[in-house]
Amino acid sequence: MPSLLDRLDAPGPKRLLALDGGGIRGVVTLGFLVRIEQLLRERADNPSYVLADYFDLIGGTSTGAIIAAALAQGISATELQEKYLALGAKVFGKRRFMRLSSLFDAAPLEAELKGMFGEQTLSDRSLRTGLCVVAKRADTESTWPLMNHPRSAFYDKNKDMPIWSVVRASAAAPGYFIPQAVDVGGGETGMFIDGGVSMACNPALQLFMVATLKGFPFQWPLGEEKLFMVSVGTGSWKQRTSPQTMAGYKLWDWASAVPRMLMNDSSQLNETVLQCLSSSPTARRINSEVGTLADDLWSANPILTYVRYDVALEEDTVRGLGVPMGKVAVAETRRLDRAEHRHLLKRIGDAAAAKSVDASHFPAAFDPA
C-alpha cells in the first residue's frame, strides 16, 4: 500500500476539502459532506468509498477541525454525522453559570475527542490523507496550520502532538472553552485558542496557501484542471442591527459585536479572493457592488477550480427547504452552542445539500486514476 508521502507526492490533480468553524452548526457541514460522499460513491461505483479516498488534503478550523481529523482517518461522512449529533449533545449540553473562565466545561469535549482519536498523533499511520488543523497560538498571536506532511518545516517538533489535543486547541473558542496548553516541542508550551480567532474561521484560503506556497511542503501545481477545492460552511445570514440599537451599545455589546464583524469580513474575503482566482460553478453574489465577480479574474487563466457550499439561515430560505420554522427559531439555530437544535440543523443541512450539491460540480479531470 502506498504511504501517505507517496500519495501527497504523486503526480496528477489534487483535491482539497476546507471546513469552516461554527460550533454545533458543524451539523450543517455534515449534511453537505454526506451528499458529496454519496455522489462520489456512485461515480466510483464503490459503496465503501469515503472522502479520504477522494481528497488529498482535508483541513478545518474549530468544529471543522474535528470533522476534518475524523474524515482523514477514513470515517464515512454518514457515520460521522451520527457521532457528531451525539458529541454535540454532550459538549454543549450543560452551561456553567457564574463562571468567569468559560461557558462550558472542557472535560466533556476532551473526553469525546479522546474517545474518537485515542493516542493517535499527527504522524499516526491511521491518517489516510493529508490533514491540516488551523489553530491560533494566543501567546504569540500567530495562526498555526498544523499538518501531517512529513516534510513540513516543524514536523519534527509537531509530529508527536496528540490529534485530540490539536483539535481541542482549534476548538477552544474564547468564552466557550478555556484555552488549550500544547507541548510544541523543544521544551516549549504554547497556549492555543480557536482557529476562528484569525482570518481562517473559513480556512479555504489558508488551505490553498498551505497546498501551493513554497514555504509549505505540498507545493502542488496550479491550474484549473490541476487543483480542486471544495469549501463547506456552517450556515450564514445577513447581519441586521438597527442604528438606534447600536447607538446604545455598551462596552460588553461591542466586545461581542466586533469579533463577529471581523470573522464575517474574513470569511467574505476568503470567498472573494478564491472566486477571483478560480473557475467556480457555485460562485455566489458577494455584495451589490461586485456581484458574483463573473468578469473578474486575477490571472490569465483560472489557477484552481473552486466550489463553495453553504446555506442561508434565514426564515425564507429555511422554509423553502421544507423546514417550517419561524424567525425566532431560525435565529436560534445560528448560535454556536445550541445543541438542542442539532436535529433541526441536520434537517436544514441535508435539505440544502440535496438542493445545491450536484455531480457536475466535480469535474471528471479530478476523478482518481
Side-chain angles (χ1 to χ4, degrees), residues 4-40:
L4 172 65
L5 191 56
D6 289 335
R7 176 179 183 173
L8 300 180
D9 284 349
K14 298 299 180 185
R15 299 156 288 266
L16 289 70
L17 177 62
L19 307 176
D20 286 17
I24 193 62
R25 298 201 316 270
V27 175
V28 171
T29 297
L30 283 158
F32 288 106
L33 296 178
V34 167
R35 174 63 176 158
I36 291 169
E37 191 170 77
Q38 289 171 345
L39 291 177
L40 293 176

Side-chain angles (χ1 to χ4, degrees), residues 109-176:
L109 173 60
E110 293 179 4
E112 290 300 309
L113 294 178
K114 288 176 181 178
M116 188 177 293
F117 302 111
E119 299 301 317
Q120 297 166 0
T121 66
L122 281 177
S123 60
D124 201 281
R125 293 188 178 184
S126 65
L127 295 172
R128 291 170 50 174
T129 190
L131 171 66
C132 179
V133 172
V134 182
K136 182 79 169 184
R137 184 169 172 182
D139 56 304
T140 61
E141 298 188 9
S142 52
T143 301
W144 280 37
L146 293 155
M147 63 197 79
N148 66 334
H149 197 300
R151 286 197 301 270
S152 60
F154 301 102
Y155 184 75
D156 286 342
K157 289 187 175 182
N158 299 339
K159 63 184 177 66
D160 295 324
M161 289 182 176
I163 291 175
W164 78 262
S165 182
V166 170
V167 171
R168 159 74 172 87
S170 179
Y176 291 90

